[in-house]
């Protein structure tokens, strides 16, 4: 109530919350569950999914306090839930979001990846998920379609966006992650427009004019599952004919 409410609180009714390490600062995320209610998922779990048009959106509870060497993701209750949720999905496009990213630039020399998140990425990659959204790092960053182990895969890879620029501070980056495509440590937001079979990102710095970026990728979920089906045609890639400008971050 002292942080989110005075700034973003006017958007609470249309907010779907993803819990981070700061929500557990008091030892539990109870205050966040009290504030957001069911918009933070089931109490004391914090992971859930929903459908928005032709998109299936998965919200996970992965941060420094819920995932580490002593609390691996593989085999956990959250992992079992995720596998069942992915198997039951019928939507064409899939987006997953949680707090701690797999790949990132940082303000700490040599720190550009989080191995604890690899198992999560493996589940999502195998299911053909299209987009991952993360926070935690206090900057904006976009990656090309990536594999769980850090390679670029333009066919099956997951495109990741790290957006940690709407809080109390931002941080310049001194360690630049391999394959990092676009970065900014200005305050701002990512506007991600979800169309029926593609998505359009617009990185919006607080001092820049609003707008919409080009549709950059078709969804992959159905493409992976149906590529061998009779009569199935791969969707065309759109938007890669030109490079994004500095306002896009796309």
């Amino acid at each position: 109530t002292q942080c989110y409410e005075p700034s973003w609180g006017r958007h609470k009714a249309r907010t779907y919350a993803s819990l981070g390490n700061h929500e557990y600062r008091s030892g539990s995320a109870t205050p966040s569950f009290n504030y957001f209610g069911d918009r933070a998922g089931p109490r004391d779990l914090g992971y859930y999914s929903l459908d928005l048009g032709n998109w299936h959106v998965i919200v996970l509870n992965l941060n420094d306090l819920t995932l580490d060497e002593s609390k691996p993701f593989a085999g956990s209750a959250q992992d079992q839930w995720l596998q069942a949720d992915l198997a039951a999905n019928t939507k064409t496009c899939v987006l997953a979001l949680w707090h701690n990213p797999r790949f990132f630039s940082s303000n700490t020399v040599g720190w550009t990846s989080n191995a604890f998140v690899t198992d999560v990425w493996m589940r999502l990659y195998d299911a053909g998920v299209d987009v991952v959204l993360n926070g935690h790092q206090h900057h904006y960053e976009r990656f090309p379609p990536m594999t769980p182990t850090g390679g670029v895969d333009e066919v099956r890879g997951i495109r990741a966006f790290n957006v940690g620029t709407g809080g109390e501070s931002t941080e310049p980056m001194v360690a630049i992650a391999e394959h990092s495509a676009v970065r900014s440590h200005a305050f701002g937001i990512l506007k991600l427009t979800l169309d029926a079979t593609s998505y359009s990102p617009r990185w919006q710095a607080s001092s820049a004019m609003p707008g919409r970026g080009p549709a950059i990728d078709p969804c992959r979920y159905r493409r992976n599952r149906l590529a061998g089906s009779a009569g199935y045609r791969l969707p065309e890639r759109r938007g890669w004919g030109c490079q994004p400008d500095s306002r896009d971050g796309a």
Side-chain angles (χ1 to χ4, degrees):
T1 56
Q2 296 178 348
C3 297
Y4 190 89
E5 183 63 30
S7 54
W8 296 100
R10 63 188 183 275
H11 300 295
K12 180 182 176 183
R14 59 193 184 103
T15 296
Y16 291 97
S18 175
L19 303 178
N21 52 295
H22 291 282
E23 280 67 54
Y24 285 86
R25 180 172 289 175
S26 64
S28 78
T30 297
S32 294
F33 285 114
N34 291 342
Y35 178 75
F36 287 108
D38 61 4
R39 289 301 185 98
R43 178 171 286 272
D44 298 327
L45 294 181
Y47 49 88
Y48 58 100
S49 64
L50 62 140
D51 292 333
L52 293 174
N54 202 34
W55 284 76
H56 186 60
V57 179
I58 300 168
V59 183
L60 299 174
N61 186 3
L62 302 173
N63 59 72
D64 293 341
L65 281 302
T66 64
L67 181 69
D68 59 26
E69 188 174 34
S70 65
K71 302 173 186 175
F73 180 78
S76 66
Q78 188 169 191
D79 180 23
Q80 299 300 316
W81 173 89
L82 175 61
Q83 292 181 71
D85 186 82
L86 289 167
N89 172 51
T90 60
K91 297 297 182 178
T92 302
C93 306
V94 185
L95 179 153
L97 64 104
W98 67 88
H99 192 63
N100 286 36
R102 171 73 178 96
F103 311 107
F104 50 87
S105 298
S106 78
N107 65 342
T108 303
V109 174
W111 187 44
T112 58
S113 66
N114 183 347
F116 297 131
V117 189
T118 305
D119 289 331
V120 186
W121 264 68
M122 289 296 297
R123 302 295 189 209
L124 302 178
Y125 181 81
D126 288 344
V129 168
D130 299 285
V131 180
V132 161
L133 295 179
N134 298 125
H136 196 57
Q137 301 302 120
H138 291 201
H139 60 254
Y140 168 78
E141 190 165 21
R142 174 181 62 76
F143 287 86
M146 301 284 286
T147 69
T149 55
V152 175
D153 182 347
E154 294 287 352
V155 176
R156 296 185 58 232
I158 304 173
R159 188 177 296 281
F161 298 86
N162 301 335
V163 190
T165 52
E168 54 88 21
S169 67
T170 62
E171 297 172 346
M173 292 150 275
V174 297
I176 306 303
E178 185 178 14
H179 306 306
S180 174
V182 177
R183 299 174 300 279
S184 173
H185 65 273
F187 284 105
I189 61 171
L190 173 67
K191 179 182 179 181
L192 193 62
T193 302
L194 305 180
D195 297 313
T197 58
S198 64
Y199 56 94
S200 304
R202 167 67 75 174
W203 159 242
Q204 179 62 57
S206 59
S207 59
M209 295 295 291
R212 176 174 173 174
I216 62 171
D217 265 337
C219 298
R220 292 181 169 82
Y221 191 85
R222 284 296 186 192
R223 179 173 70 188
N224 290 341
R225 289 176 176 262
L226 300 179
S229 301
Y232 180 74
R233 181 179 180 182
L234 296 181
E236 295 180 359
R237 295 178 64 88
R238 294 190 291 158
W240 278 120
C242 59
Q243 294 296 317
D245 63 33
S246 59
R247 292 177 300 147
D248 272 346

